Amino acid sequence: MSRIDTTFGKLKQQQRKALIPFVTAGDPSQQLTVPLMHGLVAAGADVLELGVPFSDPMADGPVIQRASERALKQGMSLRGVLGMVAEFRKQDAATPVVLMGYGNPIEAMGWEVFAQRCAEVGVDGVLTVDFPPEESHAAFEHLQRHNIAPIFLLAPTTNEARIEHVAKLARGYVYYVSLKGVTGSGAIDLSAIEQKLPQLRKHIKLPIGVGFGIRDAATAKAVSKLCDGVVVGSRIVQEIENSNENNVVANVGKLVKELRQAIDQ
């Protein structure tokens, strides 16, 4: 079993939900990304989503856009991100790591080289926002050949046929975008999520994580009642932006502990 499957399996046995925080690799600095990853795990994270900085992150709002800009200014690259995962694995062999980003950097490296390198350093899943499953079979075949889970986004506007298509290709978990908009935008409609989830579960047997718009512990708790995992990105990246290098790990850890406690209540 993969690390992702093992993690969700244990959580299901414990009747608990996954907390899946997102940070951008290289923000606030390349030196602090791995300590932040360990800090997230220590604070109660179950799966880590590590953002690969990109110059045109079309699905992201201003907070994560700025994080990408800060990381790129410091010379962050896809090879650098993979190196960070390798460093993280020296101390943590159990926590799943999912790379989240866009297709261009992977295309530049080549999908076969990328998938092989992911396997070597201990990446468990890859979510490429701008690679729809309908057009990416060759790319995802490379991932699956190396036992890397292709993870897909579904949205409030996703129709039944597309849900069924994603269900056949997806591995690990499926990421449901809770609102129409970019990361960090708007307030989520819990009733709309509650209405959509049965349609998703009709076809999807994998765990379903919900993200976008989850900005506090109360919302995280409410969302966790409806799905298998709660993804929090912009709020954590905002905490990084508002901290300095001396207190960023502690501040982010405090926030994630609050989210963990709320979800577990």
Side-chain angles (χ1 to χ4, degrees):
M1 289 179 71
S2 72
R3 274 183 282 254
I4 296 175
D5 295 339
T6 299
T7 296
F8 276 103
K10 285 180 181 176
L11 288 167
K12 188 174 183 179
Q13 286 180 344
Q14 298 165 358
Q15 296 185 311
R16 296 171 68 231
K17 303 301 176 70
L19 175 56
I20 308 173
F22 168 96
V23 294
T24 300
D27 178 50
S29 70
Q30 294 189 35
Q31 293 72 30
L32 278 170
T33 296
V34 174
L36 267 170
M37 292 169 73
H38 288 304
L40 292 169
V41 176
D46 299 295
V47 179
L48 301 182
E49 285 190 356
L50 187 60
V52 179
F54 183 54
S55 56
D56 187 21
M58 64 188 77
D60 293 307
V63 172
I64 294 178
Q65 284 181 21
R66 289 195 297 270
S68 266
E69 289 168 5
R70 289 192 295 269
L72 290 170
K73 280 181 182 174
Q74 298 184 60
M76 200 68 240
S77 66
L78 178 54
R79 291 185 187 279
V81 176
L82 291 166
M84 288 173 173
V85 178
E87 186 66 26
F88 173 76
R89 286 282 174 238
K90 291 178 181 178
Q91 294 182 46
D92 189 324
T95 305
V97 175
V98 173
L99 299 188
M100 185 171 182
Y102 298 85
N104 287 47
I106 303 173
E107 286 280 304
M109 178 179 284
W111 277 92
E112 173 57 30
V113 174
F114 170 70
Q116 184 175 343
R117 186 70 180 130
C118 281
E120 289 169 356
V121 303
V123 170
D124 301 283
V126 173
L127 195 167
T128 37
V129 175
D130 52 351
F131 264 57
E134 296 85 353
E135 302 172 13
S136 312
H137 293 289
F140 298 130
E141 282 173 8
H142 287 303
L143 293 180
Q144 291 188 352
R145 196 176 303 128
H146 291 279
N147 297 314
I148 310 297
I151 295 171
F152 298 105
L153 297 170
L154 293 176
T157 52
T158 303
N159 63 34
E160 191 123 9
R162 192 163 197 273
I163 294 169
E164 195 171 359
H165 185 63
V166 165
K168 292 174 182 174
L169 296 175
R171 301 289 184 271
Y173 60 96
V174 171
Y175 187 145
Y176 179 65
V177 176
S178 66
L179 47 80
K180 302 171 190 173
V182 294
T183 55
S185 64
I188 64 175
D189 183 344
L190 291 170
S191 63
I193 299 172
E194 193 170 9
Q195 289 170 14
K196 187 73 174 182
L197 263 291
Q199 186 189 22
L200 301 182
R201 291 197 192 281
K202 180 180 171 185
H203 301 288
I204 295 167
K205 306 309 177 192
L206 295 173
I208 298 172
V210 174
F212 283 46
I214 301 169
R215 303 194 57 78
D216 54 44
T219 307
K221 178 181 178 180
V223 169
S224 73
K225 306 299 182 190
L226 306 174
C227 61
D228 306 295
V230 178
V231 185
V232 183
S234 292
R235 178 64 188 90
I236 291 171
V237 175
Q238 189 174 53
E239 193 68 32
I240 292 170
E241 186 174 45
N242 294 338
S243 302
N244 61 52
E245 296 207 356
N246 295 322
N247 63 19
V248 64
V249 175
N251 289 354
V252 169
K254 180 174 180 290
L255 170 61
V256 172
K257 280 180 185 174
E258 291 169 2
L259 295 168
R260 173 84 272 166
Q261 289 167 359
I263 290 169
D264 285 343
Q265 284 176 355

